[in-house]
Amino acid sequence: MINKNSITHVILTGGVGSRLWPLSRKSQPKQYLDIFDGKSLFEMTVDRNRNIADKVMVVGNIDNCHLSRNILEKTNTEYIDIIESTPRNTAAAIAFAAFAADPDDILTVTPSDHIIDDMEAYEAAIEEAVEKASQGYVVTFGIVPTKPETGYGYIERNGDDVISFREKPNQVSARDFIAKGNFLWNSGMFCFKAGVLLEELKAFHPEVYNKSKLVWESNTNGNLDLDLSMDIPSISIDYAVMERSKKIKVVSAQFAWSDLGSFESVYDYLVTIGHKVDENGNMVIGTNNYTAFIGVKNTIFVSTDTANLILKKELSQDVKSLYGKLERENPELLE
């Protein structure tokens, strides 16, 4: 059984969900959308970790901290609020959480926008990670893959030792990873003692460590200074620590998991909870208006008040390119 008294659940809420535009906007990113059984992904993240940790810490940004606060107040959840004035990627966000904790506190770090099923398997994975973290390891969670997914990074491993981290592969490489049998999806979840993580960050990326420390030491009630924050290199925790440290272990997790990072993964999840599709696999999201599909298969129609999207399910990753184009040409459609 997990001793939760020294465990803090750190929720990272910084993503904008660009591949889920037009549902996900800067003013209402995907983790706050109430489209999953009437709850948001953020609320589900808080709920599933209630029995695992006795403290909650939220690392968010100035644009979304009020959305987190609304949910946490609604659920009577006490939490430590860390508000970034500008996003500096996951290395800095995780460093802030570690600076806010005692060195021996174990932090379980999760994104705020994932779907996880099978709580028994989830809690078993957390328990294994906490055990390894208490021994001084920095733990990452790898998900046993169910298909050759090109939208996720991968972890190559030998038992619980990490051999390498791999970027999102093409279809051929993804199939090769699955065939080899020792590759896991990189979940972006971590577990470690706060002090151990900071030691590794200081050793492998002293600039992120020193500048994050400076920002943290000048915080006002968890609010971080903009000018000082701009000096922190924007780099992921994977690049800064995970790919370089000798203290990394991986927990191979069996629970069903999705980062809902694309409309294909949203489609697959909604089907499992009974969302309607027609006989040709077409789905409507965002409206109850009668919608007919003629001559198309596996097409998703996404409706919002100010923009609609029609896409073939298998081209879901291409929404990110559209988002980039809108950023240049119609930024008001992203708000």
Side-chain angles (χ1 to χ4, degrees):
M1 193 62 194
I2 299 171
N3 170 19
K4 68 176 193 172
N5 293 333
S6 59
I7 300 172
T8 299
H9 175 213
V10 178
I11 309 175
L12 305 180
T13 72
V16 294
S18 57
R19 286 174 293 172
L20 292 189
W21 181 90
L23 278 187
S24 185
R25 307 287 183 106
K26 288 179 177 173
S27 59
Q28 191 85 354
K30 70 170 179 175
Q31 57 268 34
Y32 302 106
L33 299 171
D34 287 339
I35 60 170
F36 307 99
D37 280 350
K39 279 189 178 181
S40 66
L41 295 171
F42 179 88
E43 187 172 347
M44 290 160 80
T45 301
V46 173
D47 286 349
R48 88 171 64 93
N49 290 280
R50 261 184 218 289
N51 298 328
I52 288 164
D54 70 320
K55 282 189 220 155
V56 177
M57 194 181 286
V58 177
V59 186
N61 60 56
I62 199 78
D63 295 325
N64 71 18
C65 61
H66 64 288
L67 299 170
S68 299
R69 188 180 308 118
N70 290 344
I71 292 167
L72 290 158
E73 286 180 354
K74 182 180 92 173
T75 56
N76 291 318
T77 306
E78 283 186 33
Y79 70 110
I80 299 153
D81 202 7
I82 299 174
I83 302 169
E84 295 180 295
S85 49
T86 181
R88 302 316 286 162
N89 215 315
T90 52
I94 288 171
F96 297 140
F99 282 125
D102 291 330
D104 281 337
D105 284 354
I106 289 174
L107 308 187
T108 300
V109 180
T110 74
S112 58
D113 55 0
H114 291 184
I115 281 280
I116 289 171
D117 284 327
D118 189 350
M119 281 307 296
E120 206 172 304
Y122 179 70
E123 290 186 8
I126 296 283
E127 197 158 347
E128 185 184 339
V130 167
E131 179 61 32
K132 291 182 194 305
S134 65
Q135 295 166 18
Y137 292 109
V138 176
V139 183
T140 183
F141 292 78
I143 310 296
V144 176
T146 55
K147 61 179 180 177
E149 172 64 59
T150 58
Y152 302 148
Y154 283 73
I155 299 167
E156 183 183 9
R157 51 97 185 217
N158 179 15
D160 66 356
D161 291 322
V162 174
I163 299 169
S164 69
F165 289 88
R166 303 292 186 92
E167 294 290 330
K168 294 172 184 176
N170 60 29
Q171 196 66 45
V172 174
S173 297
R175 281 202 206 93
D176 186 43
F177 292 169
I178 300 298
K180 284 183 174 162
N182 67 324
F183 281 80
L184 304 167
W185 288 336
N186 188 349
S187 71
M189 292 169 49
F190 309 100
C191 185
F192 45 76
K193 280 186 181 175
V196 171
L197 186 280
L198 290 173
E199 281 166 19
E200 296 300 277
L201 182 61
K202 189 176 185 179
F204 294 109
H205 212 304
E207 189 182 2
V208 170
Y209 173 88
N210 289 322
K211 291 185 171 172
S212 299
K213 188 168 192 275
L214 193 63
V215 169
W216 177 250
E217 285 171 348
S218 68
N219 87 83
T220 309
N221 298 323
N223 288 270
L224 306 181
D225 182 82
L226 176 59
D227 292 337
L228 291 174
S229 295
M230 291 300 288
D231 287 340
I232 304 172
S234 180
I235 183 171
S236 73
I237 195 70
D238 281 6
Y239 286 134
V241 173
M242 307 306 289
E243 295 182 6
R244 304 160 83 175
S245 169
K246 300 289 182 284
K247 293 184 176 177
I248 307 300
K249 292 287 184 185
V250 63
V251 166
S252 172
Q254 297 280 356
F255 49 81
W257 170 89
S258 170
D259 73 348
L260 293 186
S262 70
F263 277 111
E264 182 169 17
S265 55
V266 170
Y267 177 107
D268 291 343
Y269 173 70
L270 290 176
V271 165
T272 69
I273 61 170
H275 194 91
K276 264 185 13 191
V277 290
D278 72 11
E279 65 275 16
N280 292 311
N282 301 307
M283 177 183 283
V284 177
I285 299 175
T287 179
N288 293 319
N289 288 348
Y290 174 76
T291 305
F293 296 86
I294 298 175
V296 292
K297 290 184 174 181
N298 299 324
T299 295
I300 306 171
F301 172 61
V302 184
S303 173
T304 73
D305 289 344
T306 55
N308 297 325
L309 176 69
I310 300 163
L311 75 156
K312 297 289 283 182
K313 181 168 70 128
E314 65 268 23
L315 297 179
S316 292
Q317 296 295 335
D318 294 355
V319 177
K320 191 162 190 174
S321 306
L322 171 63
Y323 190 93
K325 186 179 178 205
L326 290 171
E327 244 172 347
R328 295 187 301 276
E329 298 173 9
N330 295 87
E332 69 280 358
L333 284 174
L334 306 181
E335 293 306 325

